[in-house]
Amino acid sequence: MSSTTPLTPRAPTPEERPYPIRVRAQQDGSLSRWLWLVKWLLIVPHMLILIPLWIAFCLLSLVALVAIVITGRYPRPIFDFNVGVMRWSWRVGYYAYDALGTDRYPPFALAEVPGYPAGLSVEYPARLHRALVLVKWLLAIPHLLIVGILFSGSAWISWQAGGEVWSWGGGGLVALLVLIAGIVLAVTGQYPRPLFDLILGLNRWGLRVAGYAALMTDRYPPFRLDLGGDDPGGTTVPSRGPAVRSGSGSG
């Protein structure tokens, strides 16, 4: 008679757990060959609303910074609003020139919209380090240098109302790749999947950095390009050793 001791998976380390800023996107199966040429005009109503929303994001982030230093907590109403601004911006960017991933017009909403092919969520932090919020801009510099190359020429960092507004947009390598995708789409009627996966990975990197710089998490963004529309759900953690077999002979 023999038995096998079941494998006991170890608990994942913080680095192995899913990053708290999660970006998802689903590529539309059929895209118009020419609509992307006029999306800059179609998103004007969104931009007219998003500009004041980002100014509010800036001012409320300063309020959140003070609250975190005093209490160690990010005020939940401010957190939900700021995440909503990022989410809305990501949907518009996905529709337009951050990805051209869908022809479905983005909704005018801060909340997550079930069924829309792009979304963003941020895990609410129970506690945040009080002192770390004062130096995150400094710790983020290595990422900001990389993101600056990926999105150079855009408004991914701007200064308004005496505070910091961390955003992202078209420009640099991402803009070039999206332009190539648009040209290929116009010629062939197809959006190359490898190109889509790369563009989504680059946008995911920028959004993670934006959320970290906006004080939404203490988890440092990984120097990792997670390709594709599905945000990785975490690494499968193997057990620390092989299965242990035990048994005794029967007479």
Side-chain angles (χ1 to χ4, degrees), residues 210-234:
Y212 176 80
L215 313 179
M216 294 178 177
T217 179
D218 284 344
R219 283 268 308 272
Y220 197 68
F223 287 91
R224 187 177 68 230
L225 191 61
D226 290 320
L227 302 177
D230 294 329
D231 205 311

Side-chain angles (χ1 to χ4, degrees), residues 35-57:
L35 182 63
W36 65 275
L37 293 171
V38 297
K39 283 184 176 179
W40 65 271
L41 181 61
L42 299 177
I43 63 172
V44 167
H46 281 280
M47 301 311 298
L48 293 176
I49 300 174
L50 283 171
I51 289 172
L53 286 180
W54 273 105
I55 295 174
F57 181 104

Side-chain angles (χ1 to χ4, degrees), residues 23-27 90 94 193-205 208 225-232:
V23 180
R24 65 167 181 84
Q26 181 180 359
Q27 185 181 15
W90 166 232
Y94 184 71
R193 185 57 188 245
L195 189 55
F196 172 85
D197 290 343
L198 176 58
I199 290 171
L200 260 293
L202 295 173
N203 275 284
R204 179 172 291 117
W205 193 331
R208 287 172 175 172
L225 191 61
D226 290 320
L227 302 177
D230 294 329
D231 205 311

Side-chain angles (χ1 to χ4, degrees), residues 64-75 126-128 130:
L65 185 151
V66 174
I68 294 168
V69 170
I70 296 174
T71 68
R73 295 181 181 274
Y74 200 125
R127 301 285 298 182
L128 290 168
R130 296 185 182 188

Side-chain angles (χ1 to χ4, degrees), residues 153-175:
S154 69
W156 66 277
I157 296 182
S158 61
W159 295 84
Q160 297 177 11
E164 300 175 2
V165 178
W166 303 90
S167 182
W168 56 94
L173 177 61
V174 172

Side-chain angles (χ1 to χ4, degrees), residues 78-102:
I78 297 178
F79 182 88
D80 291 341
F81 173 82
N82 285 352
V83 171
V85 174
M86 291 179 61
R87 180 183 294 126
W88 189 336
S89 300
W90 166 232
R91 286 195 298 253
V92 174
Y94 184 71
Y95 169 80
Y97 301 109
D98 283 347
L100 296 177
T102 183

